[in-house]
């Protein structure tokens, strides 16, 4: 197959940042995706519906004039989030999920949740109004090896959470391990997962290929090949529990190429093309549409998109860097090629 037409996809996990940085990256996503779930880990974080509505206005104002891209907003859960805020979020019609970062787990997560026990009322309110909880699934216990943090999170946090809140809808975001695939597969239908293109295309060797590769550093960190294979099997399985979330996470070049570099990989410039590559490599291009354009919308109870995009097998070069407001951004595959192109 050298060409494939699919319903326009959505990105169910995206970092857009703010101001000039947002203006620099937004067109890449808006050109490919109809909608995106926009992550709330700004500085300061998007913790209230009022802040989410203001952020949505800034995103809309930055869109190209002919764009019909729709940002789907999220709130950042803290120890102090109140149940009334969840109700407000639901009533706004603009907020589609609540993001749970364990405090300290990743970029701008310092104000995240220290103990889910503090969020009981909020989680009950979310169950009552069917507001999904999006989970960054890694424990922060420094005694746990970084490659085991997702697996341990499943046992210590996620299993008890879905057991205790028997109606809560949960998305395990950017899963990276065979154990997470197995967990989500065995869980009730109200539990789903997003998978990034970079976790489908790379294993942890990519972090150390001939030297340290800061532009392949993200969280959860890349894992062994057997895990990449398990993620691929899940993505192409046709199970509606697994859907597309790029986790495209731009950071200025100088903040990644430094003594203590930021976590995040920028993939929005080839946001659907990279998935086409991964599915093609697995001989499963016919499964791309379900994963990219059906299952996420179905999980969120939203209509599937109406229009279509066509991808062609045509290699194109990726620049060594992209403009990023006053800085530069090194995209995934910088100075290399992407094998699929939007027609
Ligand atoms: O690699 C990542 N980058 N993982 C995250 O969880 C956060 C994200 C970011 O915001 O940069
Ligand atoms: Zn993310």
């Amino acid at each position: 197959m050298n060409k494939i037409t699919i319903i326009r996809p959505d990105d169910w996990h995206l970092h857009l940042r703010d101001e000039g940085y947002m203006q620099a990256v937004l067109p890449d996503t808006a050109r490919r995706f109809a909608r995106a779930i926009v992550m709330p880990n700004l500085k300061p974080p998007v913790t209230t519906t009022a802040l989410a509505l203001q952020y949505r206005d800034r995103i809309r104002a930055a869109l190209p004039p002919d764009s019909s891209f729709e940002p789907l907003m999220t709130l950042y859960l803290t120890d102090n989030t109140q149940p009334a805020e969840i109700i407000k979020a639901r009533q706004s019609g603009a907020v589609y999920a609540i993001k749970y970062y364990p405090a300290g787990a990743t970029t701008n997560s310092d104000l995240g949740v220290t103990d889910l026990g503090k969020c009981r009322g909020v989680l009950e309110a979310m169950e009552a109004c069917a507001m999904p909880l999006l989970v960054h699934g890694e424990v922060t216990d420094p005694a746990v090896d970084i490659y085991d943090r997702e697996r341990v999170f499943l046992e210590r946090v996620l299993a008890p959470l879905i057991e205790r809140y028997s109606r809560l809808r949960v998305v395990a975001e950017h899963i990276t391990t065979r154990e997470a695939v197995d967990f989500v597969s065995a869980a009730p239908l109200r539990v789903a997962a997003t998978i990034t293109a970079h976790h489908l295309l790379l294993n942890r060797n990519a972090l150390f290929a001939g030297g340290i590769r800061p532009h392949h550093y993200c969280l959860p960190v890349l894992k062994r090949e057997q895990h990449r294979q398990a993620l691929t099997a899940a993505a192409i399985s046709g199970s509606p529990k697994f859907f597309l979330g790029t986790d495209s996470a731009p950071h200025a070049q100088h903040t990644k190429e430094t003594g203590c570099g930021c976590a995040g990989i920028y993939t929005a410039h080839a946001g659907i093309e990279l998935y086409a590559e991964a599915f093609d490599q697995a001989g499963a291009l016919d499964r791309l549409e379900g994963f990219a354009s059906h299952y996420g919308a179905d999980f969120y109870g939203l209509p599937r998109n109406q229009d279509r995009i066509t991808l062609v097998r045509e290699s194109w070069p990726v620049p060594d860097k992209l403009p990023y407001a006053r800085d530069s951004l090194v995209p995934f595959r910088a100075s290399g090629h992407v094998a699929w192109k939007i027609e």
Side-chain angles (χ1 to χ4, degrees), residues 13 15 17 41 99 101 105-108 136 138 174 198 217-220 247 249-251 262-265:
H13 185 130
H15 297 271
R17 314 305 189 205
N41 62 333
K99 180 69 186 275
Y101 291 104
T106 187
T107 307
N108 297 347
H136 183 107
E138 290 189 286
H174 44 53
H198 45 280
Y217 174 57
C218 63
L219 287 170
D247 199 18
H251 289 277
C262 295
I265 301 182

Side-chain angles (χ1 to χ4, degrees), residues 9-175:
D10 302 302
D11 184 350
W12 300 99
H13 185 130
L14 176 68
H15 297 271
L16 280 177
R17 314 305 189 205
D18 211 348
E19 301 177 338
Y21 292 140
M22 183 249 288
Q23 287 161 21
V25 297
L26 178 61
D28 281 344
T29 292
R31 194 165 101 71
R32 293 168 174 80
F33 296 98
R35 300 169 287 200
I37 284 277
V38 180
M39 288 296 136
N41 62 333
L42 303 182
K43 255 182 166 165
V46 181
T47 50
T48 65
T49 305
L51 288 169
L53 289 170
Q54 289 165 22
Y55 185 28
R56 187 175 68 162
D57 286 345
R58 296 196 296 280
I59 296 167
R60 283 180 168 168
L63 280 170
D66 55 339
S67 176
S68 54
F69 174 77
E70 212 187 321
L72 310 177
M73 310 312 291
T74 61
L75 299 190
Y76 183 112
L77 186 63
T78 74
D79 289 351
N80 303 315
T81 305
Q82 296 299 312
E85 193 61 52
I86 303 302
I87 295 161
K88 216 185 276 179
R90 172 52 86 212
Q91 285 171 351
S92 75
V95 176
Y96 288 82
I98 310 296
K99 180 69 186 275
Y100 161 40
Y101 291 104
T106 187
T107 307
N108 297 347
S109 63
D110 335 345
L111 297 173
V113 174
T114 61
D115 174 4
L116 266 185
K118 296 184 173 162
C119 301
R120 286 194 186 123
V122 161
L123 293 166
E124 284 162 9
M126 290 174 62
E127 281 188 297
C129 68
M131 179 70 87
L133 182 72
L134 312 184
V135 174
H136 183 107
E138 290 189 286
V139 294
T140 54
D141 180 349
V144 176
D145 189 279
I146 189 163
Y147 290 104
D148 297 331
R149 286 181 190 175
E150 182 173 281
R151 181 177 57 74
V152 173
F153 183 90
L154 300 172
E155 296 157 13
R156 286 192 195 166
V157 185
L158 197 54
L161 178 76
I162 65 172
E163 168 107 19
R164 179 174 185 129
Y165 300 92
S166 60
R167 291 180 301 148
L168 187 65
R169 301 181 67 71
V170 175
V171 184
E173 296 294 334
H174 44 53
I175 58 169

Side-chain angles (χ1 to χ4, degrees), residues 11 13-15 173-176 194-204 206-207 215-225 227-229 231-232 244-250 256 263-271 273-275 277-278 281 291 331-333:
D11 184 350
H13 185 130
L14 176 68
H15 297 271
E173 296 294 334
H174 44 53
I175 58 169
T176 63
T194 55
I195 304 178
T196 77
H198 45 280
H199 289 103
L200 291 174
L201 290 166
L202 302 179
N203 65 36
R204 67 189 194 179
L207 278 165
H215 300 292
H216 287 161
Y217 174 57
C218 63
L219 287 170
V221 73
L222 295 169
K223 304 296 193 297
R224 285 177 181 276
E225 175 61 13
H227 296 292
R228 191 196 65 78
Q229 288 178 16
L231 295 172
T232 301
L244 185 157
T246 63
D247 199 18
S248 178
K256 288 190 67 73
I265 301 182
Y266 185 69
T267 52
H269 64 298
E273 298 91 325
L274 292 167
Y275 284 99
E277 252 194 58
Q281 275 174 26
F291 176 83
F332 188 77
R333 289 276 169 79

